[in-house]
Each structure stands twice: as C-alpha cells, then as structure tokens.
Amino acid sequence: AQKITQTQPGMFVQEKEAVTLDCTYDTSDPSYGLFWYKQPSSGEMIFLIYQGSYDQQNATEGRYSLNFQKARKSANLVISASQLGDSAMYFCAMRVRGYQKVTFGIGTKLQVIP
Amino acid sequence: SQTIHQWPATLVQPVGSPLSLECTVEGTSNPNLYWYRQAAGRGLQLLFYSVGIGQISSEVPQNLSASRPQDRQFILSSKKLLLSDSGFYLCAWNILAGGISLSDTQYFGPGTRLTVL
C-alpha cells in the first residue's frame, strides 16, 4: 500500500523568507511520481511541481523546488521568497506505477506573515 | 488547452434528497476521471474513478454512485443524501500514458460545496 505523511498541520513564515514543507512517502515500488498541490481558500487544487522517482535532479518550478531524498523517502517542498499569496493548504501526493489512483497526504496549512 | 468544469458551485440540500453533480472536461480525449470528497479541514478522499465510458471503480462503499455517460462527462449521484455527505467535491482528470511521468498529473475542477441540512 502507498502512504503519504505530512506531519506539519500548520506552518508560519515571514514574507520574503523561505519555507520547507515536509512530506514522506512509503512504497515498495521503485517507479512512482510525486506531486505537490496548493489549495487556497477558494478551494481549487493547483498543481505546483512533479518529481519522478528516476529523475536525477530535484524538480524546480519558479519559486518552488522539491528536495527529493530517495533513500529517506522524503519529498519536501521548498518555497523561496514567500509571498502573502502563498498562504494556503499544501498537499503532497504520489502515484505508483500500475495504479490508477493518486494518494494524498492530509496537508499542511501555510500562513505567510507580513 | 484543457479545461475542467463543475457545477453547481454551491449546493444546499435537505437530508434524504437526491444529488447530481456534473463534471465535464474540454480539450482532451479519453481522460481518466476522478471524484474526490474533502471534509472541512481534511485531506482528499477518492470516491470513484473512471478510465472510460461506462467504466467506474468505487473506492469507498457508501450511498453515492458515479456514471460516465460520455467520454468527457462524469456525474456523481445519490438517491438519498445523508448529513455525512456534506463536503467539498472535486473532480479531476489526467491521462495515464503507461509508466510514470509528468502526464500523470491530475488537474482539478473548481469544486462543488455541498451542505446537507
């Protein structure tokens, strides 16, 4: 079975500072993909970044980067230069080869302080 | 480009009433379609997914059902709503090309907030 663990229910960060949101995963399959989504108060789920298990480099998308440590089974999201608009729920997710569904973590609520 | 629509955006229904939520995708063919429910302040619970017309897989046994009458249309239904059916319902799509890749990414609709009173 696949499992995603997000242990930080809530995080605060000062505007313009960097923040790391933790995510660990559990699977015995060597082929999987990891995703991060942002959910603002409006409710829409916005895709942020993807990391494949065979990707040699950490994924980056603008101010978002994924700190992928395969041996530790962690896929932390790093947001640089936080902005007030980054305040939202953030979900880590995983899909394992051969499975249709994506497993989501319970999320971390990030609040950016002016 | 692809877009996904859901309606209605908000719904308030009495206990015991029927439900029909609709999701449509534009700009792609033969997508995989998914229904999720999110209780207040909680994560996403996968309810149903579909890999093609008429093909529905249920993840959680409950009083909800899903149908896919057309390639890009996914409907969530109930004959009699319960209080516990309240939540935020999200539809999503992706294309699974085999293996693992960025194309696995699920893209979500704007959601429907359902309140059962």
Side-chain angles (χ1 to χ4, degrees):
Chain A
Q2 299 82 42
K3 186 177 180 181
I4 294 283
T5 302
Q6 294 181 257
T7 57
Q8 305 156 312
M11 291 279 289
F12 290 91
V13 64
Q14 204 76 34
E15 193 177 7
K16 300 181 184 178
E17 296 291 312
V19 63
T20 298
L21 305 183
D22 294 341
C23 172
T24 59
Y25 59 91
D26 187 25
T27 180
S28 57
D29 197 298
S31 184
Y32 51 89
L34 296 156
F35 309 83
W36 276 93
Y37 288 86
K38 172 185 178 181
Q39 187 180 40
S41 57
S42 60
E44 59 183 317
M45 291 284 284
I46 303 167
F47 166 67
L48 296 177
I49 197 167
Y50 164 85
Q51 179 85 43
S53 60
Y54 295 119
D55 293 344
Q56 295 298 314
Q57 294 186 326
N58 287 345
T60 60
E61 286 288 346
R63 293 185 300 109
Y64 304 108
S65 61
L66 201 152
N67 184 1
F68 182 45
Q69 297 186 43
K70 197 169 182 177
R72 298 179 61 185
K73 294 189 174 180
S74 74
N76 298 340
L77 177 70
V78 180
I79 305 174
S80 63
S82 296
Q83 302 172 356
L84 295 178
D86 294 333
S87 294
M89 284 289 288
Y90 288 81
F91 292 93
C92 181
M94 174 174 68
R95 188 180 92 83
V96 175
R97 177 188 57 182
Y99 287 87
Q100 297 288 344
K101 67 183 219 177
V102 173
T103 301
F104 284 83
I106 62 172
T108 294
K109 184 172 183 179
L110 177 66
Q111 296 186 60
V112 180
I113 305 167
Chain B
S1 63
Q2 301 86 8
T3 56
I4 178 168
H5 305 278
Q6 286 186 246
W7 63 88
T10 306
L11 192 60
V12 180
Q13 293 284 93
V15 170
S17 63
L19 173 73
S20 181
L21 302 182
E22 190 166 341
C23 169
T24 59
V25 180
E26 297 177 356
T28 188
S29 295
N30 198 29
N32 285 4
L33 296 171
Y34 305 82
W35 276 115
Y36 290 89
R37 178 169 61 200
Q38 186 179 28
R42 304 289 296 276
L44 274 69
Q45 179 188 34
L46 179 63
L47 301 175
F48 301 94
Y49 68 91
S50 172
V51 300
I53 295 174
Q55 301 179 64
I56 308 295
S57 295
S58 174
E59 287 293 308
V60 184
Q62 55 203 322
N63 69 319
L64 298 172
S65 62
S67 62
R68 186 169 177 175
Q70 300 179 43
D71 181 43
R72 289 168 285 181
Q73 184 185 31
F74 204 22
I75 297 172
L76 183 70
S77 303
S78 174
K79 292 182 179 178
K80 288 186 177 182
L81 283 168
L82 307 173
L83 287 174
S84 58
D85 291 324
S86 293
F88 190 54
Y89 288 81
L90 287 157
C91 181
W93 72 273
N94 68 357
I95 300 288
L96 295 181
I100 293 289
S101 71
L102 177 60
S103 68
D104 299 350
T105 301
Q106 290 188 355
Y107 295 95
F108 287 80
T112 295
R113 262 180 223 288
L114 172 66
T115 303
V116 182
L117 301 175

